[in-house]
Amino acid sequence: MATVRPFRAVRPATPELAARVASVPYDVVDTAEAKQLAAGNPVSFLHVIRPEIDLAEGIDPHADEVYTQSCTAYRQLLADGVLARDDEPSLFVYRQVMGGHAQLGVMGCCAVDEYDDDAIKKHEKTRPDKEDDRVRHLLSLPAHSEPVFLAYRDAPAIDAAIARVAADKPLYDFTAVDGVGHTVWRADAAAAGEIEEAFRAVPALYVADGHHRCAAASRARAAVRRACADRAGHDVGTVEADNFLAVVFPAGQLQILPYHRVVHDLHGQTTEELLARLREVMTVGAGGPVPSGRGRFSMYLAGAWHELSAPQSALADPDPVASLDAAILQSLVLAPLLGIDDPRTSQRIEFVGGIRGPEELVRRVDRRGDGVAFALHPTSMDELMAVADASRMMPPKSTWFEPKLRSGLAVHEF
């Protein structure tokens, strides 16, 4: 059973403000990029989720004053009437359109208990330092300022109910500067009840993007419950922090782009030596910058593209992790031939999201002049869910979801 329940949203006060408030998520831009995007726009939600842009140049983004500034910026948006609190709890339908791709999901609150109990399934490990940052940010507001991106196996009853809500006039409808369209509808009480009930028949939700936000929501909830118990002198019942903000999409509508790899050097080998060793583990031939399918890799080396084809035995591995393209590349090439034993910690490897295109791989290799890049075929939602169902973890940087959820369209206070 999956919980997707209405919540009392804090959101842009007018349709006109929505496009100015809504921003990219905190983790897809660095401080300099966030500052540039927010320039000249005092109501951008980046002032809340990237508050260091309003503090002294070079400040530690994890300094206490950064989290204080986040709260200050959020309270200012409320005080100025840019954001407003809804009187009643609601569910929202959220559509994104990127080129010819569209996805339509539900924005609501999901249960921290279901995350803790693995009814909301994960596929990535989290880093303690990133969790710490998100916990401090949540507690500074206190609110879930950005939604987690979740998925469910397609359910026609839910999709039909969502479509009926989306037939009405939207609350917000705008195209962001990156060309992605964002439309939000508010479900009436009857529609919200129908959607909430339909989700009770869904056996599990899957984290698509936002593992650190989920983990932080769990830790923040524990901190809130401890504080409430200390004040009351006894254990407490339910608290608003028992739920976290999410947008939940049908898996069949989602678009995963590949995550590519750039290695900074050839691990002491010449180009010819590396090619010879590659031919011992894969089929090597001429190719272009885009892999032709699963188990095939486009390699940029010494100014030329090659296609690597993995052996059928690797693709047929029954292990849902070992058979992933990212795992095959790691086990056959990156570790044994290039010395990248732990891609999570190695300083010799970079990961490039597929939204940037193969030209970014060429640029990074040519800039250094002594490395190699591998373009991967995108992971499928079926592969992701198979890994999560097996309670396994995917290799690092295996998926890049596009389009990204816009932040600032709704906040869940606790």
Side-chain angles (χ1 to χ4, degrees), residues 5-9 89-90 108-112 142-144 217 220-221 224-225 228 236-245 411-414:
R5 72 167 188 84
F7 69 106
R8 187 175 173 227
S90 299
C109 271
C110 294
V112 171
H144 299 112
R221 188 270 291 265
V224 169
R225 293 185 68 83
C228 290
V236 295
T238 60
V239 294
E240 193 60 33
D242 289 338
N243 307 280
F244 64 93
L245 183 62
V411 173
H412 170 237
E413 296 182 326
F414 57 81

Side-chain angles (χ1 to χ4, degrees), residues 36 64 87 187 362 387:
Q36 183 176 10
D64 289 345
D87 293 329
V362 172
V387 171

Side-chain angles (χ1 to χ4, degrees), residues 118-194:
D118 289 327
I120 297 175
K121 297 178 179 287
K122 308 92 170 159
H123 67 268
E124 285 184 4
K125 291 182 179 179
T126 55
R127 287 171 38 191
D129 59 329
K130 291 189 69 175
E131 282 188 29
D132 292 345
D133 169 62
R134 287 302 90 192
V135 171
R136 293 178 70 188
H137 187 267
L138 293 180
L139 295 176
S140 71
L141 294 177
H144 299 112
S145 58
E146 298 184 274
V148 176
F149 189 156
L150 300 179
Y152 60 94
R153 294 187 186 275
D154 295 25
I158 297 175
D159 299 343
I162 292 172
R164 285 193 289 274
V165 175
D168 291 336
K169 182 179 179 180
L171 285 176
Y172 312 128
D173 188 11
F174 63 92
T175 299
V177 294
D178 58 4
V180 176
H182 301 268
T183 310
V184 177
W185 295 264
R186 185 176 185 172
D188 62 27
E194 181 183 1

Side-chain angles (χ1 to χ4, degrees), residues 325-404:
D325 280 10
I328 292 170
L329 184 70
Q330 177 63 31
S331 64
L332 294 184
V333 177
L334 297 183
L337 306 188
L338 291 167
I340 307 294
D341 295 318
D342 186 351
R344 286 185 173 86
T345 59
S346 175
Q347 299 301 306
R348 296 175 48 238
I349 189 169
E350 293 180 276
F351 300 92
V352 180
I355 192 68
R356 295 182 182 267
E359 59 275 8
E360 179 64 13
L361 302 182
V362 172
R363 187 187 72 82
R364 295 196 187 197
V365 172
D366 288 352
R367 180 182 61 193
R368 296 181 63 95
D370 59 351
V372 58
F374 300 92
L376 278 67
H377 189 68
T379 304
S380 71
M381 277 302 299
D382 285 340
E383 289 174 318
L384 183 154
M385 291 188 292
V387 171
D389 285 339
S391 299
R392 302 284 299 282
M393 298 292 117
M394 299 182 80
K397 307 298 185 183
S398 292
T399 58
W400 180 284
F401 284 88
E402 282 289 346
K404 301 293 186 185

